[in-house]
């Protein structure tokens, strides 16, 4: 299992006050048992409760203590792979439907933040930067294609000279500026959703790791101190799935990504780095990503590892990536460094499935989980209520498990990452 519990991160240090939930003890009954207190699980619990279901949510640690409370905070347009690749894989009609669902995902995030008055530093705009010249040409074609074929006028190409005026770095050759994307404080967002779920009637239990699932009718979910009997089960553990449901493990691969937060830079210095205060990510296979916090720090993510351990010096590990982009920050103080474990799939599209008539799963967002996982919870609630058409769109993406299952997926992934990392460096 990946390192567990809330890290010593900037997000935890600036988290909104919220009540701690009790540990499950004894036996309880519910219409739906949701396992996992990240974006998927909390969103599913909230949407189900609003439909009138009696919901129990079990979280092994604290709400948002996994990847949902540790990530880069970027709410990006579209699926994890671009529209042209989706068209090639699934055809134009299915690609447009997947785009529309992703648009709804962003809208759902914004709507929930507004409806529940979630203070999570929501800011507009995201910029994808071209690490290689040919990437710049591809981003320019993408902006044109989105406007013409998808009626999306919010993305525009930024040339190299224009980009130099937006970012204080010469590392990139152009970019795609998306005014329809946004970024936020991810931990405060998921905590706000959880508070809304409790208000809607969800019973949340923290420090209640699920040890077993009896596939009886109805299913029985066991923890160390208690059990839940429920008509439906939602599996929302993502990279923390472990071996709980063995037939799912081969569909995802846990990987670790790392972030730092500088000391406050002051508004003038911070905005000199990122003039428009947008979230930035590049086109490397293992991307760098960065944005400004509400108190004018640089939040920078970079580097991956593929085993159960994190680097001993996370601040130093990520600093190496940061100074390649911003060498002028070589001597800046680093206040926080932390890591998180996420789940990827072979195609980088999320894995939705119905394991049995009463068991739903969604995971493997491959680094684009804030919006898509929020949407997943909504689609799961629809499917539980008997309207599964939209859930089935995501479940029918022709994904395949990693070859060799859990035994070979890590060495195969490491070999692939080394190959693509070498391509990035050449």
């Amino acid at each position: 299992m990946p390192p567990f519990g809330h890290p010593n991160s900037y997000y935890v240090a600036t988290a909104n006050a919220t009540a701690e939930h009790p540990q499950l003890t004894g036996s309880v009954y519910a219409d739906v048992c949701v396992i996992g207190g990240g974006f998927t699980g909390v969103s599913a619990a909230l949407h189900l409760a609003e439909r009138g279901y009696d919901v129990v949510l079990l979280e092994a640690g604290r709400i948002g203590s996994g990847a949902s409370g540790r990530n880069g905070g970027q709410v990006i347009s579209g699926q994890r792979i671009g529209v042209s690749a989706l068209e090639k894989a699934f055809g134009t009609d299915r690609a447009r439907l997947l785009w529309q669902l992703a648009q709804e995902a962003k809208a759902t995030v914004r709507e929930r933040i507004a409806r529940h008055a979630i203070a999570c530093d929501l800011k507009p705009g995201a910029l994808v930067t071209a690490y290689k010249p040919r990437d710049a040409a591809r981003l320019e074609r993408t902006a044109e294609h989105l406007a013409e074929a998808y009626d999306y006028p919010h993305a525009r190409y930024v040339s190299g000279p224009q980009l130099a005026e937006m970012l204080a770095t010469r590392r990139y050759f152009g970019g795609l500026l998306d005014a329809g994307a946004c970024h936020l404080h991810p931990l405060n967002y998921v905590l706000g959703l959880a508070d809304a779920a409790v208000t809607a009637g969800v019973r949340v239990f923290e420090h209640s790791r699920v040890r077993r699932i009896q596939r009886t009718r109805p299913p029985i979910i066991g923890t160390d101190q208690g059990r839940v009997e429920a008509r439906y089960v939602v599996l929302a553990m993502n990279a923390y799935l472990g071996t709980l449901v063995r037939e799912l493990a081969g569909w995802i691969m846990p990987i670790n990504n790392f972030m730092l937060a500088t000391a406050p830079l002051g508004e003038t210095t911070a905005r000199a780095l990122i003039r428009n205060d947008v979230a930035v990510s590049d086109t490397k296979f293992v991307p760098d990503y960065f944005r400004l916090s509400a108190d004018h720090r640089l939040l920078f993510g970079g580097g991956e590892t593929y085993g159960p351990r994190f680097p001993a010096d996370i601040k130093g590990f990520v600093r190496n990536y940061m100074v390649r982009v911003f060498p002028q920050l070589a001597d800046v103080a680093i206040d926080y460094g932390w890591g998180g474990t996420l789940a990827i799939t072979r195609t980088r599209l999320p894995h939705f499935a119905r394991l049995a008539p009463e068991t739903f799963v969604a995971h493997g967002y491959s680094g684009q989980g804030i919006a898509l996982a929020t949407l997943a919870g909504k689609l799961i609630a629809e499917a539980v209520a008997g309207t599964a058409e939209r859930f089935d769109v995501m479940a029918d993406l022709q994904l395949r498990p990693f070859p060799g299952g859990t035994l070979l997926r890590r060495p195969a992934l490491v070999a692939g990452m080394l190959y693509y990392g070498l391509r990035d460096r050449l």
Side-chain angles (χ1 to χ4, degrees):
M1 294 294 291
F4 199 72
H6 278 306
N8 180 27
S9 72
Y10 168 77
Y11 295 139
V12 172
T14 55
N16 297 331
T18 186
E20 186 167 357
H21 303 285
Q23 183 181 33
L24 175 66
T25 58
S27 296
V28 298
Y29 301 86
D31 294 327
V32 187
C33 179
V34 176
I35 306 173
F39 297 131
T40 303
V42 173
S43 175
L46 175 57
H47 283 96
L48 285 161
E50 290 175 341
R51 287 175 171 268
Y53 289 90
D54 177 24
V55 183
V56 164
L57 186 148
L58 302 177
E59 163 56 41
R62 299 290 308 277
I63 294 295
S65 60
S68 295
R70 304 175 184 229
N71 61 78
Q74 301 199 18
V75 184
I76 305 300
S77 299
Q79 302 286 340
R80 179 62 177 81
I81 62 177
V83 290
S84 295
L86 291 174
E87 290 169 356
K88 184 177 180 180
F90 303 108
T92 301
D93 291 342
R94 176 60 67 90
R96 287 202 176 102
L97 184 53
L98 291 170
W99 170 263
Q100 291 164 3
L101 285 172
Q103 285 291 93
E104 182 179 342
K106 290 188 304 179
T108 302
V109 170
R110 290 192 177 96
E111 188 273 332
R112 286 295 178 178
I113 291 170
R115 187 196 307 190
H116 306 299
I118 300 174
C120 59
D121 305 333
L122 181 66
K123 299 179 183 181
L127 175 66
V128 179
T129 55
Y131 184 67
K132 298 178 180 180
R134 68 171 178 265
D135 295 338
R138 176 173 55 82
L139 293 176
E140 186 171 16
R141 292 193 301 270
T142 297
E144 295 170 354
H145 190 50
L146 287 174
E148 295 171 0
Y150 289 81
D151 193 26
Y152 188 74
H154 307 297
R156 67 177 179 89
Y157 177 69
V158 178
S159 68
Q162 291 172 322
L163 188 64
E165 297 177 0
M166 295 182 179
L167 300 177
T169 180
R170 297 183 179 274
R171 189 169 174 82
Y172 305 117
F173 294 90
L176 181 70
L177 182 62
D178 184 359
C182 56
H183 54 109
L184 49 74
H185 188 303
L187 179 56
N188 280 336
Y189 171 60
V190 72
L191 292 175
L193 287 182
D195 288 343
V198 170
T199 299
V202 176
R203 290 174 284 168
V204 175
F205 296 96
E206 295 179 316
H207 307 295
S208 301
R209 181 186 294 277
V210 173
R211 300 294 184 181
R212 60 201 170 275
I213 301 174
Q214 294 178 227
R215 301 189 183 185
T216 51
R217 296 283 181 88
I220 298 173
I221 299 90
T223 68
D224 288 330
Q225 304 293 329
R227 66 198 289 274
V228 180
E229 183 176 313
R231 294 166 51 202
Y232 298 96
V233 178
V234 176
L235 303 174
M237 294 161 283
N238 206 40
Y240 291 81
L241 172 68
T243 59
L244 183 65
V245 185
R246 291 185 180 274
E247 66 263 40
L248 284 178
W251 291 87
I252 58 172
M253 171 68 191
I255 65 172
N256 309 314
N257 203 261
F258 304 95
M259 291 189 67
L260 62 73
T262 68
L265 302 173
E267 183 174 6
T268 300
T269 300
R271 292 298 286 269
L273 295 175
I274 308 174
R275 185 190 69 186
N276 296 344
D277 199 13
V278 297
V280 184
S281 59
D282 66 24
T283 57
K284 289 196 303 179
F285 191 78
V286 179
D288 296 328
Y289 52 94
F290 46 93
R291 63 190 186 91
L292 302 177
S293 68
D295 57 353
H296 312 302
R297 304 170 186 266
L298 180 68
L299 306 179
F300 191 99
E304 290 181 349
T305 63
Y306 311 109
R309 294 184 179 88
F310 285 2
D313 178 14
I314 293 178
K315 292 179 183 179
F317 181 82
V318 184
R319 182 194 285 273
N320 290 331
Y321 292 91
M322 180 184 73
V323 298
R324 293 170 191 168
V325 179
F326 296 115
Q328 64 269 43
L329 299 182
D331 297 324
V332 74
I334 307 299
D335 282 354
Y336 302 95
W338 69 97
T341 304
L342 63 147
I344 64 172
T345 64
R346 284 185 66 179
T347 64
R348 303 305 188 265
L349 293 171
H351 179 226
F352 283 55
R354 189 167 187 165
L355 299 188
E358 68 282 337
T359 305
F360 297 85
V361 60
H363 58 180
Y365 304 101
S366 304
Q368 198 156 319
I370 298 179
L372 295 179
T374 300
L375 178 71
K378 184 177 183 179
L379 299 187
I380 289 170
E382 292 177 3
V384 169
T387 306
E389 288 89 348
R390 283 152 41 96
F391 180 89
D392 289 342
V393 170
M394 298 301 297
D396 190 28
L397 292 180
Q398 303 171 17
L399 272 64
R400 292 177 293 167
F402 283 91
T406 57
L407 180 64
L408 297 179
R409 63 182 179 178
R410 179 166 284 116
L413 179 71
V414 170
M417 290 299 191
L418 289 173
Y419 167 74
Y420 283 106
L422 179 61
R423 287 184 58 181
D424 280 342
R425 290 191 293 272
L426 293 178

